[in-house]
Amino acid sequence: MRVLAAYSLKGGVGKTAAAVSLAYLAARDGTPTLVWDLDPQGAASYSFRTRPRIKGGVKALVTGTRDLDDVIKGTDYPSLDLVPADFSNRYLDLVLDAVKKPIRRIRRALREVGDEYEWVILDCPPGISLVSEIIIGVSDVLLVPVIPTTLSLRMLEQLGTLTDDAHGTDAVVLPFFSMVDRRKRLHREIVANLPGERPELLRAVIPSSTDVEKMSVRREPVVAYAPRSVATAAYTALWAEIRSRVDGTTTAAR
Amino acid sequence: MLRGVDPTSGALRESLVAGIGLRRDGRETVERRLLDSFDWRVWDAGAVLEHDMTPTAAWLTWRRRATSAEPARVLGRQASPTTPSTAADLAGGPVTRLLAPVLGLRALLPRAEMRVERELFSLRDGEDKSVARAAIEHITVTGPGDMDDRDLGWRVVVTGVRGYDDVLADLVDRLEGAPGLVAGRDDADRSLFESAGAQPADYSSKLRVAIEPEAPTLQALSTICSTLLDTIEVNERGVRDDIDTEFLHDFRVAIRRTRSMLSQAGEVIPETERRFYGDAFRWLAGETSELRDLDVYLLGFDDLTAQLPAEHRADVEPLRDLLEDLRRDAYTRLMVALDSQRYRELMASWRAFLDAPDGAGAASTPVGRTAGERIWKAYRSIVRHGRHIDDDSPAEAVHDLRKRAKKLRYLLEAYRSLYPRGDMRSLTAELVTLQDNLGTYQDCDVQISSLRRFAELLGQRPGATGPAVLAMGVLSSQLAQRQQQARAEFQERFARFDRRKNRQRFRRLFEPIAEPVT
């Protein structure tokens, strides 16, 4: 089992679209995949047409009163399951702060379903918080969408500080360009030049796309309803690149 | 969950859609193979392994079978472009994790092949998400091998979506009211296999023979040996087709047990027959040894060489090549033996003998008595000889004890049904612990001599075999160390076997009661 966290410091950067699309691609190959919607907005759950409600709230999962097994829902797609969001996700910081060894608890919860899934994809709430620290602590891969603006570099630096501070993380940080608008010169320039300074940036680039925007209307992953679109090709390339980066470097399942 | 269906599925479709509110999701045709080992390991683990192929996808499913307590449940699914034959053929995944420990060394065989035409339906919730699925399925069994297609008719299969268990239960209830549907049987999986001509759990490598204590000894012997002959015959095909190493293993064990029965038969079987069949089975056993030995070396090759220091490990590859060549030759020679007149006649005449055995001497004595006598005698001989072995005793003494232990083991297994199950299980387990120690000692000995022989053969081959031989020298000394260790542990192991608790148990079960003198 490997854990990939779709994470960003700010919202609206294509994080959930990526999480949902990559999970769909993984499952389509027959790889059993679990998405955990940690975002109080519940956008991933909405894309999977699942009501954002779990019994006992997210607190039950953190304290161990409930297992993930009790709350996992199947989606419309084989091999793809979901831990839905819950409105209590907005208190996740407080819940995690109130327990001892929160990283260990989350790891244990994940381990219990570890045999059933090859990939667990966490759709994280945006921002820097205790939640982010915990997520970094339990993940193998930190997938970070970055809109190519002048603030991107600054954001990557902040991210670097965050991961350095986080407790003993082995997480591989994989930033990638998201919502790229090739008509904008700034976007073109940054996409061309930043990888020189930041070699960890993935080569696959996700374009800004109305197909992707439709996901919240159609409530399906874009790869499902627009298989021949540019967006699908981009996510497919992204997933392939993530897998090849990870296969060389992953430590054994925790 | 399965429901039998009336062939007029038009009315059924109507009631599913209009009546229950299911949505139609299209059709698909799946080519399905049910896979299991020759000895039904997946079935014994409570599951069914399916390999499904459609024009666009192929995947493996591990489905736990329904029990009276729980419905069937898919425990694992993974992509699989081809039908796997061994655990090594599979990439990592949840099915592999479930299958590998169960399958071990055995190969997977297609035990049933079928075409499943599916009409798909789903039940949706308020968000238009599927919360349960149903399919009208038409199954045609097409294999394995050449067989006429068998039309198994129609059924409705209902599957839950994870996390929506109540919905599933509710849907099943509602379906029970639909026209023409009758509840499916719990043994639906068994019937699928049976339609393909396979009988789940019809083979086990364990000797399972039920005999009554009052039965005449000769009859009991003949029952046991007939079962062993069945095992020999049924494994022959697998040996010839070289499907996996366990066919030959089971073939040999059945032969060994047969020889053991013959040598224990004493006067019950007339001497001429005893001699004749003893010789014949000794011949057959001999024909199989070389191939089995090489199988074992090749299976254990990686483990054996893992012990070597890294620089030697690559050097030893020429040995593997040699072993593979030798194995190929040994296989060919065994095929010659199995094709021979002598083998065919042995099988036929032994079967004829067992069907109408000639008795002599104590043939009609109840087996309850003779079995006890034999077992007691074998047990006492182990105790007597084992107690005399100390650190200075020659290697021969240990080998000898090993043979005696094997005799006792075969007797315990052959006559198991005559005695209380718990006791037999414990005593056999105790004996096995002793046998493991004796076995390790013997195996190391044999491997060391074999290595010497292989080194000589390697030396005769072209190419730079010097490093390989050197590495084999290191292996030899490691084996010698392991052998020393086994020997050092012997006293303790034997003492454990010989402890009071076991002595009392053996005595209680098998010690002959002295006949009162009148």
Side-chain angles (χ1 to χ4, degrees):
Chain A
M1 177 191 78
R2 285 179 287 207
V3 181
L4 180 148
Y7 173 75
S8 76
L9 291 169
K10 39 182 276 207
V13 296
K15 170 182 61 64
T16 299
V20 165
S21 302
L22 297 179
Y24 179 88
L25 284 168
R28 194 177 62 173
D29 289 339
T31 308
T33 306
L34 178 67
V35 175
W36 189 346
D37 190 352
L38 287 163
D39 195 334
Q41 268 192 74
S45 306
Y46 190 75
S47 302
F48 288 121
R49 297 175 178 268
T50 306
R51 299 191 183 109
R53 166 137 171 66
I54 54 183
K55 277 187 272 207
V58 74
K59 181 172 176 186
L61 292 176
V62 173
T63 57
T65 316
R66 284 201 188 271
D67 292 333
L68 282 174
D69 192 48
D70 297 332
V71 302
I72 288 176
K73 300 285 187 208
T75 63
D76 287 322
Y77 313 102
S79 306
L80 183 53
D81 289 344
L82 174 71
V83 177
D86 186 270
F87 205 31
S88 63
N89 283 359
R90 71 195 191 282
Y91 297 132
L92 193 49
D93 264 342
L94 299 174
V95 168
L96 289 169
D97 197 39
V99 299
K100 290 212 209 28
K101 307 202 202 272
I103 293 184
R104 195 180 291 187
R105 285 172 183 274
I106 303 292
R107 278 216 194 112
R108 191 186 309 146
L110 289 173
R111 245 205 317 270
E112 273 166 20
V113 292
D115 276 343
E116 299 176 53
Y117 299 105
E118 300 284 302
W119 282 100
V120 175
I121 295 183
L122 308 176
D123 190 13
C124 310
I128 297 188
S129 61
L130 179 59
V131 178
S132 339
E133 274 187 42
I134 307 292
I135 282 166
I136 291 169
V138 305
S139 301
D140 298 302
V141 179
L142 219 60
L143 184 67
V144 184
V146 173
I147 300 187
T149 65
T150 41
L151 291 175
S152 313
L153 182 55
R154 182 161 183 286
M155 210 258 286
L156 285 177
E157 282 166 353
Q158 277 180 308
L159 187 60
T161 317
L162 184 62
T163 50
D164 286 342
D165 283 350
H167 315 283
T169 182
D170 293 325
V172 173
V173 179
L174 296 179
F176 68 98
F177 286 119
S178 179
M179 294 173 68
V180 173
D181 187 344
R182 291 225 155 260
R183 295 168 307 184
K184 295 185 179 160
R185 198 170 94 177
L186 182 61
H187 281 208
R188 288 199 309 273
E189 282 177 358
I190 293 189
V191 169
N193 298 325
L194 193 53
E197 291 173 58
R198 288 278 175 173
E200 68 272 24
L201 270 161
L202 294 173
R203 284 194 303 274
V205 162
I206 307 298
S208 173
S209 154
T210 46
D211 282 328
V212 176
E213 284 165 23
K214 282 191 203 123
M215 229 167 59
S216 55
V217 172
R218 295 195 56 129
R219 304 183 75 187
E220 296 175 64
V222 64
V223 182
Y225 63 80
R228 278 182 280 278
S229 63
V230 171
T232 294
Y235 282 123
T236 309
L238 182 66
W239 182 231
E241 201 181 345
I242 291 169
R243 283 202 331 278
S244 70
R245 284 278 200 108
V246 160
D247 280 338
T249 61
T250 328
T251 54
R254 296 168 199 218
Chain B
M1 215 159 277
L2 312 177
R3 294 289 183 266
V5 165
D6 190 86
T8 56
S9 48
L12 174 64
R13 206 176 285 121
E14 220 3 76
S15 92
L16 289 182
V17 173
I20 298 180
L22 295 183
R23 154 111 52 99
R24 296 182 67 169
D25 285 334
R27 294 170 182 265
E28 65 177 6
T29 301
V30 178
E31 299 294 329
R32 173 170 296 168
R33 287 198 178 132
L34 304 183
L35 306 173
D36 210 332
S37 64
F38 186 69
D39 56 352
W40 297 98
R41 292 182 182 201
V42 177
W43 179 272
D44 282 341
V48 174
L49 180 64
E50 299 171 343
H51 187 244
D52 286 347
M53 296 191 16
T54 65
T56 49
W59 65 98
L60 275 172
T61 310
W62 177 285
R63 176 165 54 80
R64 191 177 59 203
R65 296 198 308 275
T67 60
S68 45
E70 277 198 49
R73 190 173 151 161
V74 169
L75 295 182
R77 183 182 276 127
Q78 73 190 50
S80 177
T82 53
T83 310
S85 353
T86 61
D89 287 344
L90 292 167
V95 174
T96 308
R97 277 194 290 277
L98 289 159
L99 178 63
V102 160
L103 193 60
L105 294 171
R106 300 232 66 159
L108 285 170
L109 303 166
R111 307 311 300 259
E113 293 173 357
M114 58 199 74
R115 188 164 49 247
V116 185
E117 290 152 68
R118 314 183 71 215
E119 220 179 312
L120 307 172
F121 299 86
S122 57
L123 182 66
R124 306 269 167 159
D125 69 0
E127 315 290 313
D128 203 33
K129 176 182 184 293
S130 33
V131 290
R133 297 204 176 88
I136 300 178
E137 294 189 344
H138 180 225
I139 298 185
T140 311
V141 175
T142 57
D146 268 326
M147 57 173 267
D148 289 331
D149 286 0
R150 282 188 68 172
D151 186 334
L152 292 190
W154 300 83
R155 63 183 197 179
V156 173
V157 179
V158 181
T159 352
V161 171
R162 186 165 187 169
Y164 298 93
D165 294 340
D166 325 338
V167 173
L168 176 63
D170 185 61
L171 179 58
V172 170
D173 281 342
R174 287 156 77 195
L175 276 172
E176 276 170 350
L181 282 184
V182 297
R185 303 192 327 256
D186 279 338
D187 63 351
D189 283 317
R190 180 176 279 276
S191 346
L192 274 179
F193 283 105
E194 283 171 356
S195 308
Q199 199 60 241
D202 66 348
Y203 177 82
S204 161
S205 54
K206 293 196 172 55
L207 179 58
R208 298 236 142 87
V209 175
I211 48 187
E212 300 295 315
E214 316 82 49
T217 301
L218 180 60
Q219 186 189 314
L221 255 175
S222 135
T223 307
I224 294 168
C225 288
S226 296
T227 306
L228 291 170
L229 183 57
D230 291 340
T231 304
I232 293 171
E233 286 173 344
V234 110
N235 276 289
E236 190 195 314
R237 177 90 265 146
V239 172
R240 284 179 181 276
D241 293 344
D242 213 11
I243 297 171
D244 63 40
T245 56
E246 299 307 282
F247 286 96
L248 181 61
H249 174 64
D250 287 357
F251 188 79
R252 278 171 55 83
V253 170
I255 291 171
R256 233 183 278 142
R257 290 188 202 269
T258 303
R259 291 176 65 194
S260 187
M261 289 291 108
L262 278 167
S263 71
Q264 295 286 327
E267 295 163 357
V268 172
I269 296 180
E271 190 177 338
T272 328
E273 272 83 349
R274 243 188 306 136
R275 277 262 167 84
F276 175 76
Y277 289 112
D279 287 343
F281 279 108
R282 185 178 336 126
W283 163 75
L284 185 58
E287 294 298 308
T288 61
S289 313
E290 208 183 331
L291 180 56
R292 176 61 186 163
D293 287 345
L294 288 161
D295 276 347
V296 169
Y297 289 134
L298 282 165
L299 285 170
F301 192 82
D302 289 332
D303 280 341
L304 188 63
T305 56
Q307 318 267 343
L308 283 175
E311 60 268 24
H312 286 296
R313 231 171 284 149
D315 290 340
V316 94
E317 282 306 305
L319 174 59
R320 194 204 297 268
D321 296 335
L322 173 67
L323 291 174
E324 282 172 354
D325 289 343
L326 290 174
R327 198 230 176 238
R328 213 165 318 166
D329 293 339
Y331 170 82
T332 310
R333 277 196 288 278
L334 176 58
M335 290 307 111
V336 170
L338 294 180
D339 287 337
S340 70
Q341 184 89 321
R342 185 170 184 186
Y343 175 73
R344 271 199 297 282
E345 282 173 359
L346 169 59
M347 292 290 109
S349 76
W350 183 231
R351 177 68 74 189
F353 176 81
L354 293 174
D355 284 343
D358 285 332
S364 47
T365 316
V367 69
R369 218 171 83 194
T370 48
E373 281 167 10
R374 302 270 192 267
I375 292 176
W376 180 248
K377 197 163 150 206
Y379 166 69
R380 292 301 308 160
S381 97
I382 290 177
V383 165
R384 260 198 326 273
H385 285 83
R387 283 180 190 162
H388 275 110
I389 297 179
D390 61 23
D391 289 335
D392 298 320
S393 309
E396 239 340 281
V398 180
H399 291 321
D400 175 76
L401 188 66
R402 189 182 137 269
K403 290 192 195 135
R404 292 175 195 274
K406 202 167 253 195
K407 270 201 186 109
L408 176 61
R409 171 85 172 275
Y410 287 157
L411 283 170
L412 287 176
E413 287 171 341
Y415 295 119
R416 185 205 299 256
S417 58
L418 296 171
Y419 300 97
R421 205 204 276 165
D423 284 326
M424 289 307 257
R425 216 189 349 242
S426 312
L427 288 178
T428 308
E430 296 280 347
L431 183 56
V432 166
T433 329
L434 177 64
Q435 281 184 291
D436 280 346
N437 173 274
L438 296 168
T440 304
Y441 185 80
Q442 158 87 337
D443 287 344
C444 288
D445 211 34
V446 169
Q447 282 185 51
I448 291 171
S449 338
S450 299
L451 277 175
R452 205 170 306 143
R453 178 167 69 98
F454 295 144
E456 232 169 285
L457 287 171
L458 257 186
Q460 294 163 11
R461 292 189 148 202
T465 54
V469 172
L470 206 61
M472 284 156 72
V474 176
L475 268 178
S476 251
S477 63
Q478 285 177 344
L479 284 166
Q481 260 184 321
R482 205 184 297 176
Q483 192 182 18
Q484 293 282 65
Q485 195 179 349
R487 184 63 193 269
E489 288 169 3
F490 170 76
Q491 301 287 90
E492 195 225 316
R493 287 288 186 101
F494 184 78
R496 196 184 146 76
F497 176 76
D498 198 23
R499 73 189 193 282
R500 192 135 179 253
K501 187 165 168 198
N502 284 342
R503 292 205 304 270
Q504 283 175 336
R505 210 184 286 203
F506 270 103
R507 197 171 288 147
R508 176 167 50 84
L509 289 175
F510 307 115
E511 188 171 33
I513 302 164
E515 301 261 293
V517 178
T518 47

